[in-house]
Amino acid sequence: MSQPINNRYEFVILFDVENGNPNGDPDAGNMPRVDPETGLGLVTDVCLKRKIRSYIETVKEDSTGYRIYIKDGVPLNRSDAEAYAALDVTDKTVKEKKKADPDLDRKIRDWMCANFFDIRTFGAVMTTFVKAALNCGQVRGPVQLGFARSVEPVIPQEVTITRVAITTEADAEKKDTEMGRKYIVPYGLYRCEGYISANLARKTTGFSEEDLELLWQAILNMFENDRSAARGKMAVRELIVFRHDTELGCAPAWKLFDTVKVERVGDGAVPARSYQDYRVTVDEGALPDGVTCRRMA
């Protein structure tokens, strides 16, 4: 495996949605998530990580070292059992083998990190106690995302839709159409901030420079192969990456995030309906020594 990364990073993702639901809230009938105090739209870190995982799975197709642990239709227990089998351990013999080999826990964890990209990147809790007691440990990943928030308040709209196909024979005798609802955000520009720890990559998961470039690629394209009518038109508009010269960093993350400004073009009297209604700037002159900025779109 390649050497772990040597530099700390922070990054800002700017993405937008047009006439879609970027992240439904199951506690609110699947309406778009909104901060009730500010009216700003929300997209969870879990939602964005799912898009990144799906892109990696599509591009790499389960190639060695790039499998996905949190995957649709694959129980976690099944993947955990693979690590035990690879190291010739079972749930019945693991206690005795750990006594003989004090490093066995680390070897199991390292096997999972080496084989699953999302564990190496985001970390995972790999302990299950269903029938077979499989414990592959817990890993705190070097890559962490916060919730995305919209730059301005959004107003979710409920759109009534109809269909001509009736569900049952009995209903078909009474009506010709059925009604339904879908929720959309007419337009919203969202900002997400993320962090990458070179220290955790070196000490724990082995997240490498090759993994890092693949992560940037996945972020930039995470909506391109994930289209659906419910999500409307979604796109990553820009990825702004701050690179530190050292493993532990040269400045607090908030100072770097404060250099990124997203402002409305014009007086803002009319609601924004496109990315061109905003201006994105980075005050690179305010960056601390030892930090460089890379803008990708």
Side-chain angles (χ1 to χ4, degrees):
M1 184 180 293
S2 302
Q3 290 297 312
I5 59 173
N6 298 313
N7 307 88
R8 198 184 95 186
Y9 293 85
E10 277 84 41
F11 57 93
V12 176
I13 309 168
L14 295 173
F15 65 91
D16 61 359
V17 59
E18 181 180 325
N19 295 328
N21 184 352
N23 187 200
D25 185 351
D27 291 327
N30 208 44
M31 288 185 65
R33 296 181 189 271
V34 175
D35 180 339
E37 293 184 327
T38 63
L40 297 178
L42 298 174
V43 175
T44 67
D45 60 317
V46 175
C47 175
L48 296 176
K49 287 176 182 177
R50 177 72 269 153
K51 310 300 182 195
I52 294 171
R53 286 185 172 100
S54 295
Y55 180 84
I56 299 299
E57 186 177 357
T58 298
V59 170
K60 291 298 186 178
E61 295 185 339
D62 285 340
S63 60
T64 302
Y66 293 95
R67 295 171 59 196
I68 297 299
Y69 182 64
I70 308 295
K71 183 176 180 178
D72 183 36
V74 179
L76 302 181
N77 217 229
R78 186 186 303 169
S79 299
D80 295 337
E82 288 186 41
Y84 273 44
L87 295 169
D88 193 25
V89 179
T90 69
D91 60 302
K92 295 181 175 60
T93 64
V94 65
K95 287 185 179 180
E96 289 301 318
K97 292 204 171 187
K98 283 182 180 180
K99 291 178 183 178
D101 184 359
D103 284 339
L104 184 58
D105 281 333
R106 179 189 57 79
K107 290 176 181 178
I108 293 173
R109 183 201 70 191
D110 289 351
W111 190 93
M112 296 295 285
C113 288
N115 282 273
F116 294 95
F117 176 85
D118 54 338
I119 296 176
R120 198 162 62 246
T121 304
F122 303 126
V125 176
M126 302 172 289
T127 304
T128 58
F129 295 100
V130 181
K131 294 183 180 179
L134 301 176
N135 183 357
C136 295
Q138 299 183 25
V139 175
R140 184 155 63 101
V143 180
Q144 300 298 329
L145 300 175
F147 277 30
R149 286 183 177 270
S150 62
V151 174
E152 294 184 296
V154 297
I155 302 179
Q157 296 182 9
E158 181 180 17
V159 179
T160 302
I161 57 177
T162 61
R163 70 177 186 187
V164 296
I166 309 303
T167 303
T168 67
E169 292 287 351
D171 286 343
E173 296 176 0
K174 305 173 188 176
K175 55 186 178 181
D176 296 323
T177 61
E178 287 191 340
M179 310 294 287
R181 294 181 179 86
K182 67 186 303 183
Y183 300 102
I184 65 166
V185 172
Y187 182 80
L189 176 62
Y190 291 75
R191 171 175 173 156
C192 176
E193 296 168 349
Y195 314 82
I196 302 179
S197 168
N199 187 254
L200 279 174
R202 174 178 60 84
K203 290 167 37 177
T204 308
T205 74
F207 183 80
S208 67
E209 291 290 344
E210 289 80 0
D211 293 331
L212 181 66
E213 287 304 314
L214 182 59
L215 175 67
W216 299 147
Q217 179 185 337
I219 290 173
L220 288 168
N221 294 283
M222 62 182 170
F223 301 119
E224 298 304 317
N225 294 286
D226 189 60
R227 303 294 183 190
S228 79
R231 281 185 289 277
K233 181 181 176 183
M234 295 188 69
V236 173
R237 294 294 187 163
E238 188 166 3
L239 172 61
I240 301 168
V241 178
F242 298 101
R243 180 183 184 274
H244 299 255
D245 283 349
T246 65
E247 179 183 284
L248 297 180
C250 306
W254 65 266
K255 286 188 177 181
L256 309 183
F257 294 144
D258 281 355
T259 65
V260 180
K261 303 294 184 185
V262 183
E263 300 171 313
R264 281 292 299 274
V265 175
D267 59 10
V270 179
R273 286 296 182 266
S274 75
Y275 186 64
Q276 285 67 41
D277 291 331
Y278 294 95
R279 180 187 298 111
V280 180
T281 58
V282 180
D283 186 1
E284 297 192 37
L287 293 179
D289 291 340
V291 178
T292 56
C293 177
R294 176 185 176 191
R295 300 179 68 171
M296 293 179 273

